[in-house]
Amino acid sequence: MYVKTTTRRNKDGQPVRYLQLAHNEWDPVAGRSRTKVVYSFGREDQLDRAAISRLVAALSRLLDPAHALAATGDGELTLTGSRPVGGVHVLDGLWHKLGLDAVMRRQLQGRRLDPRVERVLFSLVANRALDASSKLAATDWIAHDVHIDGLEEINDEACYRAMDWLLQIEPELAKEAYFQVTDLLNLEVDLLFFDTTSTYFETEDADEPVVRDESGRVLSENADPELVASHKGFRAYGKSKDSRDDRPQVVVGMAVTRDGIPVRVWSWPGNTGDSDLIRQVKKDLREWSLSRVVWVADRGFTSAANRRALMQGGGGYIIGEKLRSGSAEVKAALARPGRYATVRDNMQVKEVNIGTDGRFVICFNPDQATRDAAIRARLVEQLEQAITGTDKLNAAERSHLAGQLSTKPGLKRFLRTTPGGLLRVDKKKIEAEAKLDGKYLLRSADPNLSAEDIALGYKQLLEVERGWRDMKQLLDLRPVYHRREDRIRAHVLLCWLALLLIRVAENATGQTWNRLRAELQRLHAVTYTGPAGTFRQTTDLT
């Protein structure tokens, strides 16, 4: 059985082709085969191709899969590739839904850049979310491992040029992206959470100091002296939050909504203290003309200068206080009597008035108190074992042991040396620590928030910590394969954009990105090549 083609001419002389389903039958009388038409499809230019597809599909179901593929495919059709497509497809959809492509196109206007630069930046963001690698490895990933609409392949130079451009437009991109995201997702932005982390580099050589302004940006050597705030290298030695003080680092800050959506990131030289950062953050976001926002920050930002900065423009703050700081305000707050009120999530709160403008709220978690007591008991037991029998040692030996114990903060806290040089467990210190079990102290300047709102608002600061964890584990913030400051800053921005997309996906589905990514990457785009050209077909959705 085959398709027979018949050509006729219209009155105007134009040829018209007709298609028929026919087969040959043997005519024993005539002694030859004759063509028998089984069905007429009509004119070729008016063919009902959908009906033919349905007929072919119905007939294919009568065959086993292998024979069906052989019967329906062109004999010269070759399967030339198969790439995961689900993850990129969803990320690209979110990229467009959040308007990030439109923001970049607006920023591109009037610039002499490759028009594909938006696609290049998206591909680098997708690479961080799906298979984080160096920019050089990302070019191979884009060319051979995924399918990205509008970008078949790129080189590493295109990646670096796109990163340089991203750094130039970052302030406007962050602002426009913020309003696009908050409007589209209807986010609650009455609370903004801020925290910092550090990321170190596998080198022992810190960067040479350069002239910088108060925001940590590099100035020219002949810049106005009034603009000069410091002389620092970008990769510098500082207090590492990765416990790698032996390596130069940079400091990264992030502002997050209560829904966990990261709205902006900042990068500073590695020896910048937390207390110097939040004023710049508040200044940068004040330029966005936001409505009244309450900032939530950890204990590293509790200085009076930071609190004054956060109050400017009608803002407010919720900041953790260091219980062991020894300040008069902390001692007065902890000494105030009063009953705790139980709120949700196994938390008890008590607001105390110590006669200052700020509000203090003491939070108590019974389960955490039990854990704190168990940890302290274990440390005290280790300390007692370490100093048992040391009275028989001479003064030099005891001093040497005390020096060794001083390198272990958990044990050092409860060690006491008598005037005679003997080593003892400090029982008064243990009693003082027991009074702090399960407690933390919060300071707020907002008169409209209840004690419960203050406590629960601070607890949501965990969203920033979750963001840092995902930045480092899912998106591979480090290792950073760059040494230039501008490229390091651009790398951080790519990680921020990737985190933004995966947070939106997680909030929409209620699933973690690890699970989403694994499921999405099972969807493939299969490429076929034949005499008529190349086409792609995706596997069925689960």
Side-chain angles (χ1 to χ4, degrees):
M1 199 170 291
Y2 59 95
V3 177
K4 179 184 177 184
T5 303
T6 303
T7 303
R8 298 178 182 176
R9 292 187 178 274
N10 290 335
K11 294 180 179 180
D12 58 2
Q14 293 295 324
V16 178
R17 287 161 53 93
Y18 291 85
L19 303 181
Q20 298 169 322
L21 182 64
H23 74 103
N24 294 332
E25 289 184 347
W26 180 257
D27 186 344
V29 177
R32 59 187 176 88
S33 67
R34 295 181 181 275
T35 300
K36 182 177 181 179
V37 175
V38 178
Y39 181 79
S40 178
F41 294 105
R43 289 175 50 161
E44 185 179 33
D45 57 343
Q46 298 175 358
L47 201 61
D48 187 350
R49 299 184 183 277
I52 294 176
S53 296
R54 292 193 296 271
L55 175 62
V56 172
L59 293 174
S60 297
R61 285 195 290 270
L62 302 177
L63 306 175
D64 64 73
H67 286 90
L69 181 62
T72 58
D74 191 313
E76 299 181 28
L77 197 63
T78 305
L79 194 157
T80 56
S82 178
R83 304 182 186 184
V85 72
V88 169
H89 179 73
V90 166
L91 291 172
D92 203 8
L94 291 174
W95 183 266
H96 289 284
K97 182 179 180 180
L98 298 179
L100 298 176
D101 60 322
V103 172
M104 290 187 177
R105 281 197 296 269
R106 284 196 295 273
Q107 295 295 327
L108 264 174
Q109 293 178 0
R111 297 174 183 264
R112 302 175 68 178
L113 291 168
D114 186 337
R116 299 185 306 161
V117 68
E118 177 268 331
R119 291 283 80 195
V120 174
L121 288 173
F122 166 73
S123 68
L124 294 177
V125 170
N127 175 254
R128 303 249 48 101
L130 296 171
D131 188 16
S133 58
S134 69
K135 305 305 175 293
L136 183 60
T139 61
D140 185 70
W141 179 79
I142 293 164
H144 301 106
D145 296 328
V146 293
H147 170 68
I148 297 177
D149 287 338
L151 191 69
E152 291 298 328
E153 61 180 19
I154 56 172
N155 55 43
D156 54 328
E157 286 300 322
C159 293
Y160 293 136
R161 286 194 298 270
M163 291 173 65
D164 294 342
W165 176 69
L166 175 64
L167 195 60
Q168 295 175 24
I169 69 164
E170 182 268 335
E172 288 302 318
L173 173 66
K175 180 179 179 179
E176 291 196 49
Y178 169 81
F179 287 108
Q180 290 268 18
V181 171
T182 52
D183 289 346
L184 182 64
L185 303 181
N186 194 26
L187 297 181
E188 296 184 60
V189 291
D190 54 332
L191 295 181
L192 277 180
F193 304 87
F194 177 76
D195 199 9
T196 63
T197 190
S198 59
T199 184
Y200 63 91
F201 295 77
E202 294 293 350
T203 179
E204 296 181 356
D205 300 324
D207 293 340
E208 292 294 327
V210 295
V211 179
R212 298 182 182 275
D213 62 14
E214 61 179 6
S215 299
R217 297 285 182 175
V218 177
L219 297 172
S220 62
E221 291 295 335
N222 56 356
D224 186 345
E226 294 184 359
L227 299 177
V228 177
S230 63
H231 291 73
K232 296 179 179 179
F234 194 56
R235 296 181 298 174
Y237 287 98
K239 179 60 179 176
S240 172
K241 297 190 178 182
D242 294 315
S243 301
R244 291 304 303 265
D245 293 347
D246 60 327
R247 292 288 185 267
Q249 63 175 20
V250 297
V251 174
V252 183
M254 181 164 56
V256 175
T257 70
R258 67 164 71 216
D259 302 284
I261 303 296
V263 296
R264 193 168 181 181
V265 292
W266 293 262
S267 302
W268 293 280
N271 55 359
T272 307
D274 281 351
S275 59
D276 299 329
L277 307 180
I278 202 165
R279 293 188 290 277
Q280 181 203 335
V281 172
K282 179 68 183 296
K283 174 179 175 294
D284 288 348
L285 293 190
R286 188 168 61 243
E287 296 174 355
W288 291 6
S289 301
L290 300 179
S291 57
R292 183 176 174 277
V293 169
V294 177
W295 286 85
V296 186
D298 210 343
R299 294 169 295 181
F301 304 96
T302 190
S303 69
N306 284 340
R307 297 199 302 271
R308 286 194 299 270
L310 292 177
M311 288 294 293
Q312 293 176 1
Y317 60 79
I318 300 172
I319 296 181
E321 284 285 335
K322 298 178 181 179
L323 289 178
R324 299 173 181 83
S325 66
S327 71
E329 290 179 320
V330 171
K331 290 180 179 179
L334 293 174
R336 286 290 188 276
R339 287 189 174 184
Y340 286 96
T342 301
V343 299
R344 63 181 182 270
D345 298 332
N346 195 30
M347 182 186 296
Q348 301 176 21
V349 298
K350 176 178 66 173
E351 184 169 1
V352 295
N353 185 355
I354 62 172
T356 63
D357 294 335
R359 299 172 61 193
F360 287 87
V361 175
I362 301 175
C363 302
F364 175 69
N365 186 324
D367 292 340
Q368 184 61 46
T370 301
R371 288 192 292 269
D372 290 345
I375 293 172
R376 184 175 57 257
R378 186 167 64 250
L379 291 173
V380 170
E381 182 181 359
Q382 294 176 9
L383 180 60
E384 288 177 339
Q385 293 176 357
I387 65 175
T388 297
T390 56
D391 290 358
K392 299 178 181 179
L393 302 178
N394 58 45
E397 291 172 330
R398 285 197 299 270
S399 178
H400 178 70
L401 178 60
Q404 290 180 326
L405 294 174
S406 68
T407 63
K408 302 177 180 180
L411 301 182
K412 177 185 176 183
R413 183 185 303 175
F414 304 110
L415 179 64
R416 178 176 65 89
T417 303
T418 68
L422 301 178
L423 303 181
R424 294 290 184 267
V425 174
D426 192 337
K427 295 183 178 180
K428 290 184 177 180
K429 185 66 173 179
I430 293 174
E431 293 176 0
E433 287 289 317
K435 295 179 180 179
L436 303 179
D437 286 349
K439 295 180 181 178
Y440 54 95
L441 180 64
L442 306 179
R443 182 199 292 259
S444 177
D446 194 306
N448 300 315
L449 293 174
S450 66
E452 177 180 352
D453 290 336
I454 293 173
L456 295 178
Y458 184 78
K459 189 174 182 180
Q460 286 181 298
L461 190 61
L462 293 173
E463 284 294 339
V464 190
E465 297 178 5
R466 186 167 74 97
W468 291 135
R469 186 170 62 250
D470 287 351
M471 273 272 212
K472 293 182 178 182
Q473 296 177 3
L474 282 178
L475 308 177
D476 285 358
L477 178 63
R478 65 162 307 276
V480 182
Y481 300 100
H482 305 284
R483 58 180 181 81
R484 284 174 40 178
E485 178 175 338
D486 55 348
R487 299 280 167 78
I488 296 171
R489 290 181 181 272
H491 169 77
V492 173
L493 293 177
L494 293 174
C495 291
W496 159 60
L497 289 170
L499 183 63
L500 171 63
L501 295 181
I502 70 173
R503 278 292 179 269
V504 173
E506 288 178 334
N507 288 355
T509 62
Q511 298 188 44
T512 65
W513 179 245
N514 273 333
R515 177 170 295 183
L516 287 171
R517 178 173 56 188
E519 186 70 26
L520 290 170
Q521 291 300 79
R522 293 179 181 133
L523 181 67
H524 275 234
V526 183
T527 303
Y528 296 92
T529 301
T534 298
F535 72 94
R536 288 190 177 91
Q537 183 175 348
T538 60
T539 54
D540 290 340
L541 287 171
T542 62

